[in-house]
Amino acid sequence: MPHVFLEYTSNLTDFEPDNALLRINHVLVASGQFAAEFDIKSRATRVETFRVGTGLTVRGFVHVKLALLSGRSPQVKAQLSESLLAGLQELGNWPSSVEVQLSVEVVDLDRESYRKALL
């Protein structure tokens, strides 16, 4: 289980989403909260149309949403978001011509209504 949703802006031309997803998955496994083989489902979406603020400065962003089954403590969720943010920062190769914002959010999925089937 968790689901990872990565969004990144199209002006980050050197951003490698597959490398980012692999890094994110490794960070999550290292947390001890998830198994490596089947637990983590991650995907990336390139955002073509976006706006950051109202100014004319060239800006972009990378945002990670981590959706977890409910029940983890606020401390565990904070540790996961801090680790994910550090992992994003380590990706490097951020363009000097773009002001880049990195962000992470952790959201709870209702444990009682979540369903999964393995085929």
Side-chain angles (χ1 to χ4, degrees), residues 1-8 15 17 20-21 24-25 28 40-47 61-68 84 88 103-107 109 114:
M1 181 349 75
H3 286 273
V4 175
F5 303 87
L6 172 85
E7 293 180 317
Y8 66 98
F15 186 72
L21 292 176
I24 287 167
N25 287 2
L28 292 174
I40 305 165
K41 277 79 76 193
S42 57
R43 72 279 275 155
T45 302
R46 180 179 166 137
V47 180
F61 64 83
V62 177
H63 178 73
V64 174
K65 179 168 81 171
L66 175 63
L68 306 169
L84 288 170
L88 288 176
S103 59
V104 176
E105 72 175 308
V106 178
V107 298
L109 297 172
Y114 182 82

PDB file of all heavy atoms in Angstrom, residues 1-8 15 17 20-21 24-25 28 40-47 61-68 84 88 103-107 109 114:
ATOM      1  N   MET A   1       0.876  -1.132   0.000  1.00  0.00           N
ATOM      2  CA  MET A   1       0.000   0.000   0.000  1.00  0.00           C
ATOM      3  C   MET A   1       0.905   1.170   0.000  1.00  0.00           C
ATOM      4  O   MET A   1       1.161   1.291   0.146  1.00  0.00           O
ATOM      5  CB  MET A   1      -0.764  -0.102   1.239  1.00  0.00           C
ATOM      6  CG  MET A   1      -1.829   0.848   1.677  1.00  0.00           C
ATOM      7  SD  MET A   1      -2.277   2.304   1.109  1.00  0.00           S
ATOM      8  CE  MET A   1      -3.089   2.538  -0.212  1.00  0.00           C
ATOM      9  N   PRO A   2       1.479   2.034  -0.020  1.00  0.00           N
ATOM     10  CA  PRO A   2       0.896   3.346  -0.283  1.00  0.00           C
ATOM     11  C   PRO A   2       0.784   3.642  -1.778  1.00  0.00           C
ATOM     12  O   PRO A   2       1.368   2.929  -2.591  1.00  0.00           O
ATOM     13  CB  PRO A   2       1.903   4.302   0.331  1.00  0.00           C
ATOM     14  CG  PRO A   2       3.184   3.607   0.166  1.00  0.00           C
ATOM     15  CD  PRO A   2       2.883   2.161   0.299  1.00  0.00           C
ATOM     16  N   HIS A   3       0.072   4.697  -2.059  1.00  0.00           N
ATOM     17  CA  HIS A   3       0.025   5.226  -3.425  1.00  0.00           C
ATOM     18  C   HIS A   3       0.800   6.542  -3.423  1.00  0.00           C
ATOM     19  O   HIS A   3       0.623   7.371  -2.540  1.00  0.00           O
ATOM     20  CB  HIS A   3      -1.421   5.476  -3.863  1.00  0.00           C
ATOM     21  CG  HIS A   3      -2.153   4.218  -4.159  1.00  0.00           C
ATOM     22  ND1 HIS A   3      -2.122   3.619  -5.399  1.00  0.00           N
ATOM     23  CD2 HIS A   3      -2.920   3.432  -3.380  1.00  0.00           C
ATOM     24  CE1 HIS A   3      -2.849   2.523  -5.371  1.00  0.00           C
ATOM     25  NE2 HIS A   3      -3.348   2.386  -4.149  1.00  0.00           N
ATOM     26  N   VAL A   4       1.663   6.689  -4.430  1.00  0.00           N
ATOM     27  CA  VAL A   4       2.477   7.897  -4.580  1.00  0.00           C
ATOM     28  C   VAL A   4       2.066   8.576  -5.880  1.00  0.00           C
ATOM     29  O   VAL A   4       2.049   7.940  -6.943  1.00  0.00           O
ATOM     30  CB  VAL A   4       3.983   7.565  -4.620  1.00  0.00           C
ATOM     31  CG1 VAL A   4       4.806   8.816  -4.902  1.00  0.00           C
ATOM     32  CG2 VAL A   4       4.427   6.884  -3.344  1.00  0.00           C
ATOM     33  N   PHE A   5       1.731   9.857  -5.782  1.00  0.00           N
ATOM     34  CA  PHE A   5       1.370  10.677  -6.935  1.00  0.00           C
ATOM     35  C   PHE A   5       2.402  11.799  -7.035  1.00  0.00           C
ATOM     36  O   PHE A   5       2.480  12.653  -6.156  1.00  0.00           O
ATOM     37  CB  PHE A   5      -0.024  11.279  -6.759  1.00  0.00           C
ATOM     38  CG  PHE A   5      -1.095  10.252  -6.530  1.00  0.00           C
ATOM     39  CD1 PHE A   5      -1.374   9.801  -5.248  1.00  0.00           C
ATOM     40  CD2 PHE A   5      -1.810   9.735  -7.593  1.00  0.00           C
ATOM     41  CE1 PHE A   5      -2.353   8.849  -5.019  1.00  0.00           C
ATOM     42  CE2 PHE A   5      -2.798   8.784  -7.381  1.00  0.00           C
ATOM     43  CZ  PHE A   5      -3.066   8.341  -6.091  1.00  0.00           C
ATOM     44  N   LEU A   6       3.199  11.777  -8.097  1.00  0.00           N
ATOM     45  CA  LEU A   6       4.233  12.779  -8.318  1.00  0.00           C
ATOM     46  C   LEU A   6       3.783  13.666  -9.462  1.00  0.00           C
ATOM     47  O   LEU A   6       3.438  13.172 -10.540  1.00  0.00           O
ATOM     48  CB  LEU A   6       5.559  12.097  -8.669  1.00  0.00           C
ATOM     49  CG  LEU A   6       6.692  13.002  -9.120  1.00  0.00           C
ATOM     50  CD1 LEU A   6       7.416  13.543  -7.899  1.00  0.00           C
ATOM     51  CD2 LEU A   6       7.652  12.261 -10.016  1.00  0.00           C
ATOM     52  N   GLU A   7       3.773  14.967  -9.231  1.00  0.00           N
ATOM     53  CA  GLU A   7       3.498  15.943 -10.293  1.00  0.00           C
ATOM     54  C   GLU A   7       4.733  16.820 -10.453  1.00  0.00           C
ATOM     55  O   GLU A   7       5.340  17.216  -9.461  1.00  0.00           O
ATOM     56  CB  GLU A   7       2.314  16.835  -9.926  1.00  0.00           C
ATOM     57  CG  GLU A   7       0.991  16.136  -9.853  1.00  0.00           C
ATOM     58  CD  GLU A   7      -0.128  17.100  -9.490  1.00  0.00           C
ATOM     59  OE1 GLU A   7       0.082  17.949  -8.590  1.00  0.00           O
ATOM     60  OE2 GLU A   7      -1.193  17.003 -10.100  1.00  0.00           O
ATOM     61  N   TYR A   8       5.078  17.116 -11.703  1.00  0.00           N
ATOM     62  CA  TYR A   8       6.205  18.003 -11.965  1.00  0.00           C
ATOM     63  C   TYR A   8       5.897  18.859 -13.180  1.00  0.00           C
ATOM     64  O   TYR A   8       5.189  18.439 -14.091  1.00  0.00           O
ATOM     65  CB  TYR A   8       7.508  17.211 -12.156  1.00  0.00           C
ATOM     66  CG  TYR A   8       7.525  16.347 -13.390  1.00  0.00           C
ATOM     67  CD1 TYR A   8       8.147  16.776 -14.559  1.00  0.00           C
ATOM     68  CD2 TYR A   8       6.905  15.103 -13.401  1.00  0.00           C
ATOM     69  CE1 TYR A   8       8.152  15.984 -15.700  1.00  0.00           C
ATOM     70  CE2 TYR A   8       6.908  14.306 -14.530  1.00  0.00           C
ATOM     71  CZ  TYR A   8       7.538  14.749 -15.674  1.00  0.00           C
ATOM     72  OH  TYR A   8       7.541  13.969 -16.803  1.00  0.00           O
ATOM     73  N   PHE A  15      14.454  17.025 -15.476  1.00  0.00           N
ATOM     74  CA  PHE A  15      13.866  16.174 -14.439  1.00  0.00           C
ATOM     75  C   PHE A  15      13.577  14.797 -15.023  1.00  0.00           C
ATOM     76  O   PHE A  15      12.996  14.678 -16.107  1.00  0.00           O
ATOM     77  CB  PHE A  15      12.571  16.812 -13.915  1.00  0.00           C
ATOM     78  CG  PHE A  15      11.967  16.074 -12.755  1.00  0.00           C
ATOM     79  CD1 PHE A  15      12.548  16.119 -11.510  1.00  0.00           C
ATOM     80  CD2 PHE A  15      10.816  15.326 -12.929  1.00  0.00           C
ATOM     81  CE1 PHE A  15      11.997  15.433 -10.427  1.00  0.00           C
ATOM     82  CE2 PHE A  15      10.245  14.643 -11.865  1.00  0.00           C
ATOM     83  CZ  PHE A  15      10.842  14.689 -10.616  1.00  0.00           C
ATOM     84  N   PRO A  17      11.543  11.651 -14.252  1.00  0.00           N
ATOM     85  CA  PRO A  17      10.507  11.130 -13.356  1.00  0.00           C
ATOM     86  C   PRO A  17      10.723   9.688 -12.924  1.00  0.00           C
ATOM     87  O   PRO A  17      10.428   9.329 -11.783  1.00  0.00           O
ATOM     88  CB  PRO A  17       9.214  11.300 -14.158  1.00  0.00           C
ATOM     89  CG  PRO A  17       9.632  11.455 -15.564  1.00  0.00           C
ATOM     90  CD  PRO A  17      10.997  12.056 -15.543  1.00  0.00           C
ATOM     91  N   ALA A  20      13.129   9.735 -10.157  1.00  0.00           N
ATOM     92  CA  ALA A  20      12.488  10.306  -8.975  1.00  0.00           C
ATOM     93  C   ALA A  20      11.591   9.274  -8.296  1.00  0.00           C
ATOM     94  O   ALA A  20      11.605   9.133  -7.067  1.00  0.00           O
ATOM     95  CB  ALA A  20      11.687  11.546  -9.350  1.00  0.00           C
ATOM     96  N   LEU A  21      10.812   8.530  -9.091  1.00  0.00           N
ATOM     97  CA  LEU A  21       9.938   7.513  -8.509  1.00  0.00           C
ATOM     98  C   LEU A  21      10.746   6.406  -7.840  1.00  0.00           C
ATOM     99  O   LEU A  21      10.382   5.941  -6.754  1.00  0.00           O
ATOM    100  CB  LEU A  21       9.022   6.920  -9.582  1.00  0.00           C
ATOM    101  CG  LEU A  21       7.958   7.850 -10.149  1.00  0.00           C
ATOM    102  CD1 LEU A  21       7.191   7.150 -11.263  1.00  0.00           C
ATOM    103  CD2 LEU A  21       7.012   8.344  -9.064  1.00  0.00           C
ATOM    104  N   ILE A  24      11.978   7.794  -4.569  1.00  0.00           N
ATOM    105  CA  ILE A  24      10.861   7.856  -3.621  1.00  0.00           C
ATOM    106  C   ILE A  24      10.566   6.467  -3.059  1.00  0.00           C
ATOM    107  O   ILE A  24      10.407   6.294  -1.844  1.00  0.00           O
ATOM    108  CB  ILE A  24       9.613   8.459  -4.307  1.00  0.00           C
ATOM    109  CG1 ILE A  24       9.812   9.961  -4.517  1.00  0.00           C
ATOM    110  CG2 ILE A  24       8.353   8.171  -3.509  1.00  0.00           C
ATOM    111  CD1 ILE A  24       8.796  10.591  -5.450  1.00  0.00           C
ATOM    112  N   ASN A  25      10.499   5.467  -3.933  1.00  0.00           N
ATOM    113  CA  ASN A  25      10.216   4.109  -3.471  1.00  0.00           C
ATOM    114  C   ASN A  25      11.292   3.615  -2.507  1.00  0.00           C
ATOM    115  O   ASN A  25      10.984   2.974  -1.500  1.00  0.00           O
ATOM    116  CB  ASN A  25      10.072   3.164  -4.655  1.00  0.00           C
ATOM    117  CG  ASN A  25       8.774   3.375  -5.415  1.00  0.00           C
ATOM    118  OD1 ASN A  25       7.981   4.251  -5.093  1.00  0.00           O
ATOM    119  ND2 ASN A  25       8.567   2.589  -6.448  1.00  0.00           N
ATOM    120  N   LEU A  28      10.795   5.219   0.864  1.00  0.00           N
ATOM    121  CA  LEU A  28       9.671   4.614   1.586  1.00  0.00           C
ATOM    122  C   LEU A  28      10.030   3.247   2.152  1.00  0.00           C
ATOM    123  O   LEU A  28       9.682   2.930   3.295  1.00  0.00           O
ATOM    124  CB  LEU A  28       8.450   4.521   0.672  1.00  0.00           C
ATOM    125  CG  LEU A  28       7.832   5.869   0.286  1.00  0.00           C
ATOM    126  CD1 LEU A  28       6.725   5.670  -0.743  1.00  0.00           C
ATOM    127  CD2 LEU A  28       7.326   6.607   1.505  1.00  0.00           C
ATOM    128  N   ILE A  40       4.298  -0.557  -2.741  1.00  0.00           N
ATOM    129  CA  ILE A  40       4.314   0.832  -3.205  1.00  0.00           C
ATOM    130  C   ILE A  40       3.864   0.924  -4.662  1.00  0.00           C
ATOM    131  O   ILE A  40       4.428   0.267  -5.532  1.00  0.00           O
ATOM    132  CB  ILE A  40       5.719   1.435  -3.042  1.00  0.00           C
ATOM    133  CG1 ILE A  40       6.177   1.294  -1.600  1.00  0.00           C
ATOM    134  CG2 ILE A  40       5.731   2.887  -3.493  1.00  0.00           C
ATOM    135  CD1 ILE A  40       7.657   1.520  -1.397  1.00  0.00           C
ATOM    136  N   LYS A  41       2.847   1.750  -4.890  1.00  0.00           N
ATOM    137  CA  LYS A  41       2.387   2.033  -6.243  1.00  0.00           C
ATOM    138  C   LYS A  41       2.652   3.504  -6.525  1.00  0.00           C
ATOM    139  O   LYS A  41       2.057   4.369  -5.905  1.00  0.00           O
ATOM    140  CB  LYS A  41       0.883   1.746  -6.389  1.00  0.00           C
ATOM    141  CG  LYS A  41       0.520   0.302  -6.647  1.00  0.00           C
ATOM    142  CD  LYS A  41       0.517  -0.589  -5.491  1.00  0.00           C
ATOM    143  CE  LYS A  41      -0.615  -0.525  -4.535  1.00  0.00           C
ATOM    144  NZ  LYS A  41      -0.315  -1.240  -3.293  1.00  0.00           N
ATOM    145  N   SER A  42       3.553   3.785  -7.448  1.00  0.00           N
ATOM    146  CA  SER A  42       3.908   5.183  -7.708  1.00  0.00           C
ATOM    147  C   SER A  42       3.739   5.500  -9.189  1.00  0.00           C
ATOM    148  O   SER A  42       3.887   4.640 -10.041  1.00  0.00           O
ATOM    149  CB  SER A  42       5.338   5.468  -7.247  1.00  0.00           C
ATOM    150  OG  SER A  42       6.253   4.596  -7.870  1.00  0.00           O
ATOM    151  N   ARG A  43       3.392   6.765  -9.429  1.00  0.00           N
ATOM    152  CA  ARG A  43       3.215   7.241 -10.792  1.00  0.00           C
ATOM    153  C   ARG A  43       3.570   8.713 -10.865  1.00  0.00           C
ATOM    154  O   ARG A  43       3.562   9.418  -9.862  1.00  0.00           O
ATOM    155  CB  ARG A  43       1.805   7.002 -11.299  1.00  0.00           C
ATOM    156  CG  ARG A  43       0.717   7.885 -10.714  1.00  0.00           C
ATOM    157  CD  ARG A  43       0.175   7.500  -9.379  1.00  0.00           C
ATOM    158  NE  ARG A  43      -0.878   6.516  -9.386  1.00  0.00           N
ATOM    159  CZ  ARG A  43      -1.134   5.722  -8.346  1.00  0.00           C
ATOM    160  NH1 ARG A  43      -0.459   5.817  -7.240  1.00  0.00           N
ATOM    161  NH2 ARG A  43      -2.089   4.847  -8.390  1.00  0.00           N
ATOM    162  N   ALA A  44       3.899   9.171 -12.080  1.00  0.00           N
ATOM    163  CA  ALA A  44       4.295  10.561 -12.291  1.00  0.00           C
ATOM    164  C   ALA A  44       3.450  11.185 -13.393  1.00  0.00           C
ATOM    165  O   ALA A  44       3.112  10.532 -14.380  1.00  0.00           O
ATOM    166  CB  ALA A  44       5.770  10.648 -12.664  1.00  0.00           C
ATOM    167  N   THR A  45       3.139  12.456 -13.195  1.00  0.00           N
ATOM    168  CA  THR A  45       2.383  13.220 -14.179  1.00  0.00           C
ATOM    169  C   THR A  45       3.128  14.515 -14.475  1.00  0.00           C
ATOM    170  O   THR A  45       3.442  15.279 -13.554  1.00  0.00           O
ATOM    171  CB  THR A  45       0.976  13.559 -13.648  1.00  0.00           C
ATOM    172  OG1 THR A  45       0.307  12.345 -13.324  1.00  0.00           O
ATOM    173  CG2 THR A  45       0.175  14.330 -14.677  1.00  0.00           C
ATOM    174  N   ARG A  46       3.396  14.740 -15.736  1.00  0.00           N
ATOM    175  CA  ARG A  46       4.017  15.995 -16.184  1.00  0.00           C
ATOM    176  C   ARG A  46       2.900  17.014 -16.378  1.00  0.00           C
ATOM    177  O   ARG A  46       1.943  16.765 -17.124  1.00  0.00           O
ATOM    178  CB  ARG A  46       4.767  15.759 -17.485  1.00  0.00           C
ATOM    179  CG  ARG A  46       5.443  16.969 -18.029  1.00  0.00           C
ATOM    180  CD  ARG A  46       6.166  16.598 -19.307  1.00  0.00           C
ATOM    181  NE  ARG A  46       6.538  17.782 -20.021  1.00  0.00           N
ATOM    182  CZ  ARG A  46       7.714  17.964 -20.594  1.00  0.00           C
ATOM    183  NH1 ARG A  46       8.612  17.001 -20.571  1.00  0.00           N
ATOM    184  NH2 ARG A  46       7.982  19.077 -21.226  1.00  0.00           N
ATOM    185  N   VAL A  47       3.032  18.152 -15.732  1.00  0.00           N
ATOM    186  CA  VAL A  47       2.012  19.197 -15.793  1.00  0.00           C
ATOM    187  C   VAL A  47       2.423  20.217 -16.853  1.00  0.00           C
ATOM    188  O   VAL A  47       3.442  20.897 -16.713  1.00  0.00           O
ATOM    189  CB  VAL A  47       1.838  19.877 -14.412  1.00  0.00           C
ATOM    190  CG1 VAL A  47       0.779  20.955 -14.476  1.00  0.00           C
ATOM    191  CG2 VAL A  47       1.506  18.847 -13.347  1.00  0.00           C
ATOM    192  N   PHE A  61       7.551  23.381 -10.157  1.00  0.00           N
ATOM    193  CA  PHE A  61       7.404  22.644  -8.902  1.00  0.00           C
ATOM    194  C   PHE A  61       7.445  21.146  -9.132  1.00  0.00           C
ATOM    195  O   PHE A  61       7.200  20.650 -10.241  1.00  0.00           O
ATOM    196  CB  PHE A  61       6.118  23.025  -8.168  1.00  0.00           C
ATOM    197  CG  PHE A  61       4.835  22.686  -8.903  1.00  0.00           C
ATOM    198  CD1 PHE A  61       4.276  21.413  -8.846  1.00  0.00           C
ATOM    199  CD2 PHE A  61       4.184  23.658  -9.638  1.00  0.00           C
ATOM    200  CE1 PHE A  61       3.099  21.114  -9.517  1.00  0.00           C
ATOM    201  CE2 PHE A  61       2.994  23.371 -10.306  1.00  0.00           C
ATOM    202  CZ  PHE A  61       2.455  22.093 -10.244  1.00  0.00           C
ATOM    203  N   VAL A  62       7.765  20.457  -8.064  1.00  0.00           N
ATOM    204  CA  VAL A  62       7.619  19.014  -7.965  1.00  0.00           C
ATOM    205  C   VAL A  62       6.840  18.786  -6.684  1.00  0.00           C
ATOM    206  O   VAL A  62       7.228  19.271  -5.611  1.00  0.00           O
ATOM    207  CB  VAL A  62       8.982  18.293  -7.904  1.00  0.00           C
ATOM    208  CG1 VAL A  62       8.783  16.793  -7.721  1.00  0.00           C
ATOM    209  CG2 VAL A  62       9.816  18.583  -9.143  1.00  0.00           C
ATOM    210  N   HIS A  63       5.732  18.076  -6.803  1.00  0.00           N
ATOM    211  CA  HIS A  63       4.880  17.822  -5.643  1.00  0.00           C
ATOM    212  C   HIS A  63       4.625  16.331  -5.529  1.00  0.00           C
ATOM    213  O   HIS A  63       4.296  15.668  -6.520  1.00  0.00           O
ATOM    214  CB  HIS A  63       3.544  18.560  -5.775  1.00  0.00           C
ATOM    215  CG  HIS A  63       2.618  18.287  -4.641  1.00  0.00           C
ATOM    216  ND1 HIS A  63       2.808  18.800  -3.378  1.00  0.00           N
ATOM    217  CD2 HIS A  63       1.499  17.521  -4.565  1.00  0.00           C
ATOM    218  CE1 HIS A  63       1.838  18.383  -2.578  1.00  0.00           C
ATOM    219  NE2 HIS A  63       1.033  17.597  -3.277  1.00  0.00           N
ATOM    220  N   VAL A  64       4.798  15.817  -4.322  1.00  0.00           N
ATOM    221  CA  VAL A  64       4.529  14.409  -4.043  1.00  0.00           C
ATOM    222  C   VAL A  64       3.367  14.316  -3.075  1.00  0.00           C
ATOM    223  O   VAL A  64       3.373  14.963  -2.023  1.00  0.00           O
ATOM    224  CB  VAL A  64       5.764  13.709  -3.426  1.00  0.00           C
ATOM    225  CG1 VAL A  64       5.421  12.286  -2.994  1.00  0.00           C
ATOM    226  CG2 VAL A  64       6.919  13.703  -4.414  1.00  0.00           C
ATOM    227  N   LYS A  65       2.368  13.526  -3.457  1.00  0.00           N
ATOM    228  CA  LYS A  65       1.282  13.201  -2.541  1.00  0.00           C
ATOM    229  C   LYS A  65       1.421  11.728  -2.197  1.00  0.00           C
ATOM    230  O   LYS A  65       1.449  10.874  -3.094  1.00  0.00           O
ATOM    231  CB  LYS A  65      -0.084  13.470  -3.163  1.00  0.00           C
ATOM    232  CG  LYS A  65      -1.237  13.100  -2.218  1.00  0.00           C
ATOM    233  CD  LYS A  65      -2.581  13.620  -2.676  1.00  0.00           C
ATOM    234  CE  LYS A  65      -3.183  12.736  -3.718  1.00  0.00           C
ATOM    235  NZ  LYS A  65      -4.587  13.093  -4.029  1.00  0.00           N
ATOM    236  N   LEU A  66       1.532  11.446  -0.916  1.00  0.00           N
ATOM    237  CA  LEU A  66       1.647  10.083  -0.414  1.00  0.00           C
ATOM    238  C   LEU A  66       0.336   9.728   0.274  1.00  0.00           C
ATOM    239  O   LEU A  66      -0.027  10.346   1.272  1.00  0.00           O
ATOM    240  CB  LEU A  66       2.817   9.983   0.576  1.00  0.00           C
ATOM    241  CG  LEU A  66       3.016   8.657   1.286  1.00  0.00           C
ATOM    242  CD1 LEU A  66       3.327   7.546   0.294  1.00  0.00           C
ATOM    243  CD2 LEU A  66       4.116   8.789   2.329  1.00  0.00           C
ATOM    244  N   ALA A  67      -0.390   8.770  -0.294  1.00  0.00           N
ATOM    245  CA  ALA A  67      -1.677   8.351   0.255  1.00  0.00           C
ATOM    246  C   ALA A  67      -1.479   7.028   0.999  1.00  0.00           C
ATOM    247  O   ALA A  67      -1.022   6.043   0.414  1.00  0.00           O
ATOM    248  CB  ALA A  67      -2.704   8.198  -0.850  1.00  0.00           C
ATOM    249  N   LEU A  68      -1.801   7.044   2.289  1.00  0.00           N
ATOM    250  CA  LEU A  68      -1.587   5.894   3.178  1.00  0.00           C
ATOM    251  C   LEU A  68      -2.895   5.443   3.795  1.00  0.00           C
ATOM    252  O   LEU A  68      -3.788   6.266   4.020  1.00  0.00           O
ATOM    253  CB  LEU A  68      -0.676   6.297   4.349  1.00  0.00           C
ATOM    254  CG  LEU A  68       0.663   6.920   4.057  1.00  0.00           C
ATOM    255  CD1 LEU A  68       1.259   7.481   5.325  1.00  0.00           C
ATOM    256  CD2 LEU A  68       1.567   5.873   3.471  1.00  0.00           C
ATOM    257  N   LEU A  84      10.938  12.100   2.337  1.00  0.00           N
ATOM    258  CA  LEU A  84      10.634  12.258   0.915  1.00  0.00           C
ATOM    259  C   LEU A  84      11.140  13.592   0.377  1.00  0.00           C
ATOM    260  O   LEU A  84      11.697  13.658  -0.727  1.00  0.00           O
ATOM    261  CB  LEU A  84       9.133  12.117   0.669  1.00  0.00           C
ATOM    262  CG  LEU A  84       8.593  10.698   0.805  1.00  0.00           C
ATOM    263  CD1 LEU A  84       7.066  10.714   0.790  1.00  0.00           C
ATOM    264  CD2 LEU A  84       9.137   9.801  -0.295  1.00  0.00           C
ATOM    265  N   LEU A  88      13.860  14.165  -2.617  1.00  0.00           N
ATOM    266  CA  LEU A  88      13.663  15.015  -3.797  1.00  0.00           C
ATOM    267  C   LEU A  88      14.815  16.000  -3.956  1.00  0.00           C
ATOM    268  O   LEU A  88      15.322  16.208  -5.066  1.00  0.00           O
ATOM    269  CB  LEU A  88      12.352  15.790  -3.693  1.00  0.00           C
ATOM    270  CG  LEU A  88      11.057  15.016  -3.861  1.00  0.00           C
ATOM    271  CD1 LEU A  88       9.861  15.941  -3.633  1.00  0.00           C
ATOM    272  CD2 LEU A  88      10.978  14.363  -5.234  1.00  0.00           C
ATOM    273  N   SER A 103       7.538  20.028  -2.734  1.00  0.00           N
ATOM    274  CA  SER A 103       6.590  19.866  -1.631  1.00  0.00           C
ATOM    275  C   SER A 103       6.137  18.411  -1.529  1.00  0.00           C
ATOM    276  O   SER A 103       6.174  17.659  -2.500  1.00  0.00           O
ATOM    277  CB  SER A 103       5.380  20.791  -1.809  1.00  0.00           C
ATOM    278  OG  SER A 103       4.718  20.522  -3.036  1.00  0.00           O
ATOM    279  N   VAL A 104       5.712  18.062  -0.310  1.00  0.00           N
ATOM    280  CA  VAL A 104       5.224  16.717  -0.015  1.00  0.00           C
ATOM    281  C   VAL A 104       4.000  16.858   0.873  1.00  0.00           C
ATOM    282  O   VAL A 104       3.990  17.674   1.799  1.00  0.00           O
ATOM    283  CB  VAL A 104       6.292  15.877   0.726  1.00  0.00           C
ATOM    284  CG1 VAL A 104       5.735  14.506   1.104  1.00  0.00           C
ATOM    285  CG2 VAL A 104       7.557  15.740  -0.112  1.00  0.00           C
ATOM    286  N   GLU A 105       2.970  16.081   0.578  1.00  0.00           N
ATOM    287  CA  GLU A 105       1.819  15.998   1.476  1.00  0.00           C
ATOM    288  C   GLU A 105       1.519  14.529   1.738  1.00  0.00           C
ATOM    289  O   GLU A 105       1.720  13.678   0.871  1.00  0.00           O
ATOM    290  CB  GLU A 105       0.583  16.703   0.911  1.00  0.00           C
ATOM    291  CG  GLU A 105      -0.079  15.982  -0.238  1.00  0.00           C
ATOM    292  CD  GLU A 105      -1.368  16.627  -0.713  1.00  0.00           C
ATOM    293  OE1 GLU A 105      -2.270  16.882   0.113  1.00  0.00           O
ATOM    294  OE2 GLU A 105      -1.464  16.865  -1.931  1.00  0.00           O
ATOM    295  N   VAL A 106       1.065  14.242   2.936  1.00  0.00           N
ATOM    296  CA  VAL A 106       0.669  12.891   3.310  1.00  0.00           C
ATOM    297  C   VAL A 106      -0.817  12.923   3.631  1.00  0.00           C
ATOM    298  O   VAL A 106      -1.260  13.748   4.428  1.00  0.00           O
ATOM    299  CB  VAL A 106       1.479  12.386   4.528  1.00  0.00           C
ATOM    300  CG1 VAL A 106       1.026  10.992   4.938  1.00  0.00           C
ATOM    301  CG2 VAL A 106       2.975  12.392   4.210  1.00  0.00           C
ATOM    302  N   VAL A 107      -1.577  12.062   2.965  1.00  0.00           N
ATOM    303  CA  VAL A 107      -3.018  12.015   3.182  1.00  0.00           C
ATOM    304  C   VAL A 107      -3.421  10.602   3.609  1.00  0.00           C
ATOM    305  O   VAL A 107      -2.787   9.619   3.230  1.00  0.00           O
ATOM    306  CB  VAL A 107      -3.813  12.440   1.924  1.00  0.00           C
ATOM    307  CG1 VAL A 107      -3.506  13.877   1.557  1.00  0.00           C
ATOM    308  CG2 VAL A 107      -3.525  11.528   0.759  1.00  0.00           C
ATOM    309  N   LEU A 109      -6.026   7.469   3.652  1.00  0.00           N
ATOM    310  CA  LEU A 109      -7.111   6.770   2.973  1.00  0.00           C
ATOM    311  C   LEU A 109      -7.903   6.033   4.048  1.00  0.00           C
ATOM    312  O   LEU A 109      -7.312   5.449   4.960  1.00  0.00           O
ATOM    313  CB  LEU A 109      -6.563   5.756   1.970  1.00  0.00           C
ATOM    314  CG  LEU A 109      -5.749   6.307   0.804  1.00  0.00           C
ATOM    315  CD1 LEU A 109      -5.126   5.172   0.014  1.00  0.00           C
ATOM    316  CD2 LEU A 109      -6.630   7.157  -0.088  1.00  0.00           C
ATOM    317  N   TYR A 114     -11.196   1.127   1.948  1.00  0.00           N
ATOM    318  CA  TYR A 114     -10.195   0.838   0.914  1.00  0.00           C
ATOM    319  C   TYR A 114     -10.227  -0.650   0.575  1.00  0.00           C
ATOM    320  O   TYR A 114     -10.270  -1.505   1.467  1.00  0.00           O
ATOM    321  CB  TYR A 114      -8.795   1.228   1.388  1.00  0.00           C
ATOM    322  CG  TYR A 114      -7.735   0.998   0.346  1.00  0.00           C
ATOM    323  CD1 TYR A 114      -7.513   1.912  -0.667  1.00  0.00           C
ATOM    324  CD2 TYR A 114      -6.965  -0.154   0.356  1.00  0.00           C
ATOM    325  CE1 TYR A 114      -6.545   1.696  -1.649  1.00  0.00           C
ATOM    326  CE2 TYR A 114      -5.981  -0.387  -0.600  1.00  0.00           C
ATOM    327  CZ  TYR A 114      -5.789   0.546  -1.592  1.00  0.00           C
ATOM    328  OH  TYR A 114      -4.827   0.330  -2.551  1.00  0.00           O
TER     329      TYR A 114
END
